[in-house]
Amino acid sequence: MIQITPFLDSKRKTPLYVQLYQYIKEGIESGQLKSDTFLPSIRELALHLRVSKNTVEGAYQQLIAEGYVESIPRVGLKILELEATFLCDKGGKQLQNVTMGEIQREHKSIEFDFVYGEIDTAHLPLKVWKRHVQEVLKGASEELLMYGDPFGDWHLRQELSHYLLQSRGVSCRPEQVVITAGTQHAVSLLCQLLSLHGSTVAFEDPGYNGVRSVFINQGCRIAPIPIEADGLSLSRLHESHANIVYVTPSHQLPCGMILPVHKRSLLLEWAYEHEGYIVEDDYDSEFRYQGQPIPALKALDQNEKVIYLGTFSKSFLPSIRVSYMVLPGELVPLYQQKLANYNQAASQLIQRALYTFIKDGDFQRHIRRMKKVYQSKHHTLLKSVKTYLGDRVTVIGEKSGLHVLLNVPGREDHELIEKAMACGVKVYSTKTFWYNPKNQCSSFIMLGFGKLSEEAIKKGIRRLQQAWF
Amino acid sequence: MIQITPFLDSKRKTPLYVQLYQYIKEGIESGQLKSDTFLPSIRELALHLRVSKNTVEGAYQQLIAEGYVESIPRVGLKILELEATFLCDKGGKQLQNVTMGEIQREHKSIEFDFVYGEIDTAHLPLKVWKRHVQEVLKGASEELLMYGDPFGDWHLRQELSHYLLQSRGVSCRPEQVVITAGTQHAVSLLCQLLSLHGSTVAFEDPGYNGVRSVFINQGCRIAPIPIEADGLSLSRLHESHANIVYVTPSHQLPCGMILPVHKRSLLLEWAYEHEGYIVEDDYDSEFRYQGQPIPALKALDQNEKVIYLGTFSKSFLPSIRVSYMVLPGELVPLYQQKLANYNQAASQLIQRALYTFIKDGDFQRHIRRMKKVYQSKHHTLLKSVKTYLGDRVTVIGEKSGLHVLLNVPGREDHELIEKAMACGVKVYSTKTFWYNPKNQCSSFIMLGFGKLSEEAIKKGIRRLQQAWF
């Protein structure tokens, strides 16, 4: 039984029953009152709205007369389905929104989708993860029902500080760790914390547009810093007059190179000289396939000038929406002063399940397994590119992460994408990553391989050969 | 077995084994490497770091010699517990952070805590909620593992649009609904959407400090608008030159009055005249104990100038961290342009469980039950106040919501709070709600009653009589 709560104004000249009729009619037309559901009984609605039964009856009679509802004896008034053409669009404007269903329809003819940002779901330890969620649900203590610590679950922050030291060389106390609802949420909090509106933020170009948008929406000026063969151009950074820089040193997004050690030292020196901050987004550092593990830039930071951002979106599950940042010690009191009455934004249930997931070693086991899975996919991708595309393309950023770039000299991305699409393969432009579209290397194609099987990777790349050459 | 990932620099004069030793020593001292765990074997660590076995052995020997680790034959090197006094504090600064444990210790002597913002947990349909979460987990489809629609789960948004019409009289399409990770997150997104930095925001004074902080941190100027006996002062709003106003018309926070109909109309007229926006925070509208249900301000909005904010924190569970906003149709394209590459910040699992929770009517059943529970508590509170405190106090805002204010004329809140505390009762100042502390009515005391039992409410108020008079 649906409930109806219109605003009825007895001072208006329109009689109450007409106001009620109009209100219900509008609800049916807009689809908010669903067909095949029943209106409340006259008695119930009159009681609920504190109006006379006559008022409700009058409205109902009118609705029956106009065919919006049908009286089913001994049951009530059923809302009838309207002809689609009869539906009016409130405000006359067609609102656009791409739903899941539409996205899927669009992809129907695509056999191999080299999308970036999706992960391998076949090897996810979903059973184990569900067990952790269920355990937390089972034990649900009162503390788990409330808002919780504004910085995030204390146990999770402790586990993260252990994890960060062990896997990323980052030395920090749990007090410095803040749990956020995704990396963009973290960056938005940082903009507020450091009052960045009107400031210049040096930003990799090309770089991660998702974070760049946050800085722009928060009123920052972007100083685009070109990416050289070995990463961020430090000379251009020095020229930028920015005193904050956003970087992805473990795996430049989208180019994929790892910032070499000498540039890391120079970058830190820049921050110390300028009293500036480095925002290090370590988004898929867990997956590195060649050479010795490289600790985070934060691990080298002696003067507490690196703000470290980590996420579970790549390493575990995009949908859990939990990321974290490590604040330099000096920013913790400022955070408490400015932002500590912000409620924690990540679900307590999920935070606590993540805590036991890490504590019991299940997360680490998952990472080890996925590293092998992705390494093998990565190997297959590079091998297939070599076999099928050969010298006609160059691979960029091939040492780590869940994507690579192809450079196809003399060709344009839109043409390559269309030709691939015609053969059932979806590949991607790097266009959105460039701040200045003029600088764009339009011969770059982005291939994400996280969610594709090795078989699909191989077939997809062979299909690209047919499509392109 | 822990993993260790230091940055070892072969170009430094310090030998690699010393670098490794120093790194592990620091980890043990800071507590990040936990006592009673084991270091990796020499072989493993050498392989992991791509250094010689001698390097690792040298570091380990030093750690044994200095008593940081102990060699357990045939098992490995165990990290020993350090004396507490031996622990050094990185950076020399003691970071402060109030943990759950400390909060609980502080409250140990408090028998009756009239805290606001906590809910009745005894009547929560936790079993039902767990079932919904488990069902979603069981069915976990691929789409549930990814980032999901940036606006939020489509099904949940559809259900919310039905729910809003039925319970709040708000007519909107699911396309206008945006799921957010709490109300403060919603306000932060609004500031970015409307580029509010530098703008003047008219804000109830006293008003909800949690949201006021967001506007301030986002660079808005606050124009404090006094609260009159019947809510927001419209004359002062007109004088403010703001063109956006934040209001809590269903239950003014903290004063508790409901904005009367004539003021609602005038407020809308103000918005239409000034081409301004009203941000309506409908935070605990579900709980109203007297008179006919009053639809949201948004329900009267003919010109799409009200931005509606709703939350599950009061009506269901603070810890799930899901709120939502209804954008005027005209702002939807702007949102898509500026913010649509923000990932959704609320957990997909929780969103989907909320969807079935509402769809199956369990949420509505819960609201109906809680309305009775809170109504009864509210009744007990008012009766107890009358019985024990009588004419010496006035109750303010007594028609709805999960708190009331007491005015204790001629007395000061800090004195009242201290005296109550000495008798084991925690009551609260309204200080934080005032933008201009000079305007504060310091004889106001805030009593939240959501989480207290009726017995506790009665005893607590009787205790206040002893404490105060």
Side-chain angles (χ1 to χ4, degrees):
Chain A
M1 183 70 73
I2 58 176
Q3 201 189 324
I4 291 174
T5 313
F7 174 71
L8 301 180
D9 187 351
S10 55
K11 290 183 204 115
R12 274 174 61 194
K13 277 190 196 151
T14 320
L16 285 182
Y17 88 90
V18 177
Q19 293 182 36
L20 181 59
Y21 147 77
Q22 284 170 337
Y23 181 86
I24 298 174
K25 176 174 158 261
E26 254 187 62
I28 297 172
E29 285 176 348
S30 72
Q32 286 189 282
L33 295 177
K34 284 185 272 196
S35 61
D36 297 318
T37 56
F38 287 85
L39 293 176
S41 76
I42 293 174
R43 204 189 119 270
E44 278 169 344
L45 190 56
L47 203 68
H48 175 61
L49 300 176
R50 314 228 168 175
V51 295
S52 78
K53 284 188 198 168
N54 288 342
T55 301
V56 179
E57 197 170 1
Y60 280 8
Q61 289 297 351
Q62 190 64 29
L63 290 165
I64 295 170
E66 294 187 14
Y68 285 93
V69 300
E70 185 187 1
S71 174
I72 311 281
R74 276 191 292 274
V75 183
L77 284 191
K78 189 169 93 172
I79 298 175
L80 295 174
E81 196 165 2
L82 297 177
E83 298 291 320
T85 49
F86 187 63
L87 291 175
C88 77
D89 199 335
K90 194 178 173 182
K93 241 183 288 177
Q94 188 64 44
L95 299 172
Q96 283 165 8
N97 198 293
V98 179
T99 65
M100 273 297 166
E102 283 164 31
I103 289 171
Q104 278 156 0
R105 272 195 297 284
E106 190 206 330
H107 286 187
K108 232 177 198 166
S109 61
I110 298 298
E111 279 179 77
F112 309 106
D113 185 355
F114 286 89
V115 64
Y116 170 69
E118 300 204 355
I119 57 163
D120 182 297
T121 49
H123 295 84
L124 272 180
L126 275 185
K127 262 196 189 162
V128 177
W129 171 242
K130 285 175 193 179
R131 205 188 61 224
H132 283 281
V133 173
Q134 273 156 4
E135 284 298 315
V136 177
L137 272 175
K138 219 184 283 171
S141 68
E142 194 139 325
E143 120 187 351
L144 268 179
L145 304 176
M146 297 301 125
Y147 288 98
D149 190 321
F151 278 65
D153 185 86
W154 178 252
H155 300 284
L156 176 60
R157 289 155 67 204
Q158 278 184 314
E159 280 307 320
L160 280 172
S161 92
H162 298 310
Y163 171 74
L164 285 172
L165 183 65
Q166 292 184 26
S167 81
R168 307 296 303 131
V170 172
S171 169
C172 67
R173 294 173 161 273
E175 286 88 345
Q176 293 169 261
V177 180
V178 181
I179 309 295
T180 65
T183 296
Q184 294 171 318
H185 179 236
V187 173
S188 169
L189 292 175
L190 278 181
C191 289
Q192 296 174 56
L193 178 69
L194 301 172
S195 305
L196 291 184
H197 193 279
S199 307
T200 301
V201 175
F203 204 95
E204 297 171 330
D205 192 32
Y208 176 33
N209 53 321
V211 163
R212 195 172 56 215
S213 299
V214 181
F215 281 120
I216 293 171
N217 285 332
Q218 291 279 357
C220 300
R221 276 190 298 272
I222 297 292
I225 310 295
I227 299 298
E228 300 167 344
D230 59 353
L232 196 77
S233 164
L234 287 163
S235 59
R236 296 290 289 273
L237 175 62
H238 275 274
E239 289 163 23
S240 73
H241 301 295
N243 62 0
I244 183 159
V245 61
Y246 168 90
V247 284
T248 49
S250 299
H251 192 223
Q252 206 277 331
L253 187 62
C255 294
M257 71 279 287
I258 296 160
L259 198 69
V261 168
H262 72 277
K263 278 206 161 177
R264 290 177 184 236
S265 306
L266 291 171
L267 186 55
L268 288 167
E269 272 171 32
W270 169 88
Y272 303 158
E273 265 173 37
H274 289 72
E275 291 277 304
Y277 285 109
I278 299 165
V279 180
E280 174 182 26
D281 187 347
D282 206 30
Y283 69 105
D284 70 358
S285 57
E286 285 85 358
F287 306 119
R288 178 164 162 68
Y289 315 123
Q290 294 174 26
Q292 70 179 70
I294 294 193
L297 182 61
K298 176 73 188 163
L300 299 177
D301 176 23
Q302 298 297 317
N303 291 2
E304 301 267 311
K305 287 297 173 194
V306 176
I307 297 164
Y308 178 91
L309 306 180
T311 178
F312 290 98
S313 297
K314 303 290 178 294
S315 58
F316 180 42
L317 255 185
S319 66
I320 57 168
R321 312 313 302 128
V322 176
S323 296
Y324 49 93
M325 58 179 164
V326 178
L327 295 173
E330 63 185 28
L331 290 181
V332 174
L334 184 68
Y335 194 97
Q336 284 175 325
Q337 182 201 321
K338 287 187 78 171
L339 304 175
N341 73 356
Y342 283 24
N343 291 314
Q344 171 55 225
S347 147
Q348 285 276 88
L349 167 67
I350 304 284
Q351 285 188 73
R352 192 55 71 92
L354 268 177
Y355 153 61
T356 57
F357 189 61
I358 300 173
K359 181 175 66 81
D360 295 355
D362 289 322
F363 175 62
Q364 295 84 332
R365 265 186 288 281
H366 163 64
I367 292 288
R368 281 196 294 273
R369 190 189 313 116
M370 292 316 289
K371 204 168 154 175
K372 281 184 200 150
V373 169
Y374 288 136
Q375 184 149 34
S376 185
K377 289 188 179 189
H378 183 260
H379 179 75
T380 301
L381 176 66
L382 294 188
K383 217 176 106 185
S384 306
V385 168
K386 204 173 168 191
T387 308
Y388 299 116
L389 308 179
D391 297 342
R392 289 168 291 196
V393 305
T394 324
V395 179
I396 300 169
E398 75 279 16
K399 287 185 179 167
S400 69
L402 301 180
H403 77 274
V404 299
L405 293 191
L406 292 187
N407 187 12
V408 196
R411 304 287 284 269
E412 289 286 320
D413 57 3
H414 61 88
E415 177 229 336
L416 295 166
I417 290 166
E418 274 165 35
K419 288 199 161 163
M421 186 83 88
C423 292
V425 186
K426 195 156 185 187
V427 297
Y428 293 82
S429 166
T430 60
K431 197 169 60 191
T432 52
F433 293 100
W434 300 82
Y435 181 66
N436 187 345
K438 274 190 212 154
N439 296 336
Q440 192 202 333
C441 292
S442 57
S443 58
F444 280 6
I445 287 290
M446 188 166 184
L447 300 179
F449 59 87
K451 75 158 193 179
L452 288 173
S453 72
E454 293 189 39
E455 193 57 27
I457 290 171
K458 214 165 134 184
K459 285 185 179 166
I461 299 293
R462 193 166 59 190
R463 201 71 76 79
L464 285 183
Q465 180 192 25
Q466 299 159 5
W468 290 351
F469 304 112
Chain B
M1 183 71 74
I2 60 176
Q3 202 190 323
I4 291 173
T5 313
F7 174 72
L8 301 179
D9 187 351
S10 55
K11 288 182 204 115
R12 273 173 63 195
K13 278 189 194 150
T14 320
L16 285 183
Y17 87 91
V18 178
Q19 294 181 37
L20 181 57
Y21 146 76
Q22 284 170 337
Y23 180 85
I24 298 174
K25 177 173 156 261
E26 254 186 61
I28 297 173
E29 285 176 349
S30 73
Q32 285 190 285
L33 296 177
K34 283 185 271 195
S35 61
D36 296 320
T37 58
F38 287 83
L39 292 176
S41 75
I42 293 175
R43 203 190 120 269
E44 278 171 345
L45 189 56
L47 203 68
H48 175 62
L49 300 176
R50 315 230 166 173
V51 296
S52 78
K53 284 189 199 168
N54 288 342
T55 300
V56 178
E57 195 167 4
Y60 280 9
Q61 289 296 351
Q62 190 67 27
L63 290 166
I64 296 170
E66 294 188 13
Y68 285 94
V69 300
E70 185 187 0
S71 175
I72 310 283
R74 273 191 295 271
V75 183
L77 285 190
K78 189 169 93 172
I79 298 176
L80 296 173
E81 195 165 3
L82 297 177
E83 299 290 321
T85 49
F86 187 66
L87 291 173
C88 77
D89 198 335
K90 195 180 173 181
K93 240 184 289 177
Q94 189 64 44
L95 297 172
Q96 283 167 8
N97 198 293
V98 180
T99 66
M100 273 295 164
E102 283 165 31
I103 290 171
Q104 279 156 359
R105 271 195 298 284
E106 191 207 328
H107 286 188
K108 233 176 198 165
S109 61
I110 299 296
E111 278 179 79
F112 309 106
D113 186 354
F114 286 89
V115 63
Y116 170 69
E118 301 203 356
I119 57 163
D120 183 296
T121 50
H123 295 85
L124 274 178
L126 276 184
K127 262 195 188 162
V128 177
W129 172 242
K130 286 175 192 179
R131 206 190 60 224
H132 284 281
V133 173
Q134 272 157 3
E135 283 299 314
V136 177
L137 273 175
K138 220 186 281 172
S141 69
E142 194 139 326
E143 122 188 349
L144 268 179
L145 304 175
M146 296 302 124
Y147 288 98
D149 190 321
F151 278 66
D153 184 84
W154 178 252
H155 300 284
L156 176 59
R157 289 156 67 203
Q158 279 183 312
E159 281 306 321
L160 279 173
S161 92
H162 299 309
Y163 170 75
L164 285 172
L165 183 64
Q166 292 183 27
S167 81
R168 307 297 302 132
V170 172
S171 169
C172 67
R173 295 173 159 273
E175 287 88 344
Q176 293 169 261
V177 180
V178 181
I179 309 294
T180 65
T183 296
Q184 294 171 318
H185 179 235
V187 173
S188 169
L189 293 175
L190 277 182
C191 289
Q192 297 174 57
L193 179 68
L194 301 172
S195 306
L196 290 185
H197 194 279
S199 306
T200 301
V201 175
F203 204 95
E204 297 171 330
D205 193 31
Y208 176 34
N209 54 321
V211 163
R212 195 172 58 214
S213 299
V214 180
F215 280 120
I216 292 172
N217 285 331
Q218 291 280 357
C220 299
R221 275 190 299 271
I222 296 292
I225 311 294
I227 299 298
E228 301 166 344
D230 60 353
L232 197 76
S233 163
L234 287 163
S235 58
R236 297 290 290 273
L237 175 62
H238 275 275
E239 290 163 23
S240 74
H241 302 295
N243 63 359
I244 183 159
V245 61
Y246 168 89
V247 282
T248 49
S250 298
H251 192 224
Q252 205 277 331
L253 187 60
C255 293
M257 72 279 286
I258 296 160
L259 199 68
V261 168
H262 72 277
K263 278 205 162 178
R264 289 177 185 236
S265 306
L266 291 171
L267 186 55
L268 288 167
E269 270 171 33
W270 170 87
Y272 302 159
E273 264 173 39
H274 289 72
E275 291 276 304
Y277 285 109
I278 299 166
V279 181
E280 174 182 25
D281 188 347
D282 207 29
Y283 69 105
D284 69 0
S285 57
E286 286 84 358
F287 305 119
R288 177 163 163 70
Y289 314 123
Q290 293 174 24
Q292 71 179 67
I294 294 194
L297 182 62
K298 176 75 187 160
L300 299 177
D301 177 23
Q302 299 297 318
N303 290 3
E304 300 269 309
K305 288 298 174 193
V306 176
I307 298 164
Y308 178 90
L309 306 181
T311 179
F312 290 99
S313 296
K314 303 289 178 294
S315 58
F316 181 43
L317 255 185
S319 67
I320 59 168
R321 312 311 304 126
V322 176
S323 297
Y324 48 94
M325 58 180 163
V326 178
L327 295 173
E330 64 185 26
L331 290 180
V332 174
L334 184 68
Y335 194 98
Q336 283 176 326
Q337 182 201 320
K338 287 186 78 171
L339 304 175
N341 73 356
Y342 283 24
N343 292 313
Q344 172 54 226
S347 148
Q348 284 277 90
L349 166 66
I350 303 284
Q351 286 188 73
R352 191 54 73 94
L354 267 176
Y355 153 61
T356 58
F357 190 61
I358 300 174
K359 180 175 67 80
D360 295 356
D362 289 321
F363 176 62
Q364 296 83 333
R365 264 187 289 282
H366 163 64
I367 292 288
R368 282 197 293 272
R369 189 188 313 114
M370 292 317 288
K371 205 168 154 175
K372 281 185 200 148
V373 169
Y374 288 136
Q375 183 149 33
S376 184
K377 288 187 180 192
H378 183 259
H379 179 74
T380 300
L381 176 66
L382 295 188
K383 217 176 107 185
S384 305
V385 167
K386 204 172 168 191
T387 306
Y388 299 116
L389 308 179
D391 296 342
R392 288 168 291 196
V393 305
T394 322
V395 179
I396 300 170
E398 74 280 15
K399 287 186 181 165
S400 70
L402 301 180
H403 77 274
V404 298
L405 293 191
L406 292 186
N407 186 11
V408 196
R411 305 285 285 268
E412 289 287 318
D413 58 3
H414 61 87
E415 176 228 338
L416 295 165
I417 290 165
E418 274 166 35
K419 286 199 164 163
M421 184 84 86
C423 292
V425 186
K426 195 156 184 187
V427 297
Y428 293 81
S429 167
T430 60
K431 196 169 62 190
T432 53
F433 293 100
W434 300 82
Y435 181 66
N436 188 345
K438 275 190 213 154
N439 297 336
Q440 192 201 335
C441 291
S442 57
S443 57
F444 280 6
I445 287 290
M446 188 167 186
L447 300 180
F449 59 87
K451 76 159 192 178
L452 288 174
S453 71
E454 293 188 39
E455 193 58 26
I457 291 171
K458 214 166 136 183
K459 285 185 180 166
I461 299 294
R462 192 166 59 190
R463 202 69 78 77
L464 285 183
Q465 179 192 23
Q466 299 158 4
W468 289 351
F469 304 113

